[in-house]
């Protein structure tokens, strides 16, 4: 078997400090992989400049001029991590046998790529890089991130625990992923929807090589909200459930109110007021939940996701 053509896609936002170090590491890595016959010499590293405001693009241009294996993609403005990754993957699709996505800061151990390629060679279409521990993250990042995975699971989104966006996709998995039509993207939740044969490779996550995190708390919360609302209709279900619960409580209240009324423990108007508050409140919540169900359906429709993903087709 000839070695696969590998494309490594890296979103870069204001990464002028980290990029030179990252590029050097990747040069060594891909040299070694080619020497060992693990990847084809025409493999590429695709650097996507996500509308950086620093000298990132200059660094990328220089890298490209010096070494043809570095490709540069410049986005006209900042579109965020996910979309930048999507751009890089779109431009790689059809030109490679597999693509690996990794952050520019090399917090994810590049040596795990050997494991990725190994699993790919054994037939996996999707290989997840999974952090074996979060020891080196700050306490805050660790707890919030883990809480996030737990909530996501509860809400029905199938996420791989402690997997970020460090993963390998085969050409056909990539093509399938790119056929998803949604604009609000949460890649981590979309990849498991693909199916195909998957594998996991564990690695230690380190510190950023240089520069600072581009994910402050505000972006993290937005990211979590995006994840929940783009994958799951469950929050709407909870409203419906709450409405049903309120209506049920309303019935209990109604009985209580009627009993009080008959016993004459009430002031004028109290009974009717109480009944309307509980029953109407419950009904309103239920109605909202019901409308929400339809809005949720419309929402899923507008994503225009593929109805099936082809794995194989035997024909002659
Ligand atoms: N990134 C991007 N666009 C953005 C924000 C981040 O392309 O708007 C890239 C960034 O350059 C890095 C990756 O996304 O390669 C992850 O960002 P970062 O390392 O800052 O996140 P953290 O590891 O702190 O969660
Ligand atoms: Mg990082």
């Amino acid at each position: 078997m000839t070695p696969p053509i590998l494309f490594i896609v890296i979103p870069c936002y204001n990464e002028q400090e980290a990029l030179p170090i990252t590029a050097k590491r990747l040069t060594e890595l891909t040299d070694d992989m080619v020497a060992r016959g693990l990847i084809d010499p025409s493999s590429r590293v695709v650097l996507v400049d996500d509308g950086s405001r620093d000298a990132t693009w200059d660094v990328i241009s220089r890298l490209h001029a010096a070494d043809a294996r570095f490709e540069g993609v410049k986005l006209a403005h900042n579109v965020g991590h996910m979309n930048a990754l999507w751009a890089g993957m779109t431009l790689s699709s059809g030109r490679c046998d597999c693509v690996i996505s990794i952050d520019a800061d090399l917090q994810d151990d590049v040596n795990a790529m050997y494991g990725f390629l190994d699993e790919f060679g054994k037939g996996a279409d999707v290989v997840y890089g999974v952090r074996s521990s979060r020891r080196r993250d700050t306490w805050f990042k660790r707890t919030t991130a883990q809480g996030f995975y737990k909530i996501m699971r509860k809400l029905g989104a199938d996420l791989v625990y402690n997997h970020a966006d460090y993963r390998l996709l085969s050409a056909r998995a990539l093509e399938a992923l790119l056929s998803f039509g949604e604009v609000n993207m949460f890649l981590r939740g979309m990849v498991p929807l693909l199916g195909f044969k998957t594998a996991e490779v564990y690695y230690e996550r380190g510190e950023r090589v240089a520069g600072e995190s581009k994910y402050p708390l505000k972006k993290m919360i937005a990211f979590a909200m995006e994840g929940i609302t783009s994958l799951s209709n469950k929050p709407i279900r909870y409203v419906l459930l709450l409405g049903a619960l309120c209506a049920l409580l309303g019935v209990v209240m109604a009985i209580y109110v009627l009993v009080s009324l008959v016993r004459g423990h009430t002031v004028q108007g109290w009974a009717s007021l109480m009944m309307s508050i509980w029953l109407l409140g419950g009904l309103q919540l239920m109605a909202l939940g019901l409308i929400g169900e339809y809005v949720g359906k419309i929402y899923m429709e507008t994503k225009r996701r593929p109805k099936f993903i082809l794995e194989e087709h035997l024909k002659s």
Side-chain angles (χ1 to χ4, degrees), residues 215-291:
Y215 269 99
L217 182 64
K218 205 176 109 197
K219 268 199 193 170
M220 268 169 67
I221 293 174
F223 189 65
M225 281 302 288
E226 178 74 48
I228 293 167
T229 53
S230 77
L231 284 173
S232 162
N233 273 342
K234 281 215 177 159
I236 294 174
R237 295 263 150 81
Y238 289 144
V239 173
L240 195 61
L241 217 70
L242 200 72
L245 211 76
C246 271
L248 211 73
L249 266 173
V251 173
V252 175
M253 270 310 276
I255 294 168
Y256 167 72
V257 167
L258 283 178
V259 169
S260 307
L261 190 68
V262 170
R263 287 186 164 183
H265 292 324
T266 58
V267 285
Q268 268 286 313
W270 177 80
S272 51
L273 208 61
M274 260 343 246
M275 303 255 277
S276 11
I277 287 174
W278 279 89
L279 290 173
L280 272 180
L283 281 178
Q284 263 166 2
L285 267 182
M286 277 209 311
L288 269 180
L290 197 66
I291 293 170

Side-chain angles (χ1 to χ4, degrees), residues 103 105 107 205 208:
D103 289 352
D105 56 7
Q107 278 186 289
R205 186 158 155 112
R208 225 172 200 287

Side-chain angles (χ1 to χ4, degrees), residues 28-165:
E28 291 162 6
L29 183 87
T30 45
D31 278 344
D32 182 58
M33 284 175 166
V34 170
R36 290 205 214 175
L38 295 173
I39 58 171
D40 192 271
S42 63
S43 296
R44 294 278 179 271
V45 175
V46 182
L47 302 166
V48 184
D49 177 6
D50 182 16
S52 301
R53 269 165 298 180
D54 65 358
T56 299
W57 183 245
D58 297 335
V59 178
I60 295 176
S61 316
R62 251 179 281 133
L63 283 169
H64 171 72
D67 186 343
R69 101 184 79 184
F70 288 104
E71 272 188 20
V73 174
K74 189 178 197 302
L75 303 183
H77 66 116
N78 182 252
V79 290
H81 185 185
M82 294 290 119
N83 293 313
L85 200 57
W86 190 267
M89 293 195 302
T90 306
L91 294 168
S92 305
S93 178
R95 303 167 58 206
C96 57
D97 299 308
C98 56
V99 30
I100 292 178
S101 51
I102 186 170
D103 289 352
D105 56 7
L106 292 196
Q107 278 186 289
D108 306 295
D109 182 8
V110 290
N111 290 314
M113 289 190 198
Y114 289 103
F116 286 15
L117 287 171
D118 187 41
E119 295 290 349
F120 175 66
K122 284 194 244 161
D125 281 284
V126 179
V127 186
Y128 298 108
V130 179
R131 285 176 227 178
S132 45
S133 81
R134 277 182 177 268
R135 249 185 306 131
R136 270 182 253 193
D137 276 350
T138 60
W139 174 87
F140 180 73
K141 182 112 189 176
R142 198 168 53 226
T143 8
T144 47
Q146 259 154 15
F148 169 66
Y149 282 106
K150 290 213 179 94
I151 294 172
M152 289 297 287
R153 278 273 170 88
K154 281 242 156 56
L155 289 176
D158 183 19
L159 288 191
V160 178
Y161 200 61
N162 270 350
H163 157 68
D165 286 289

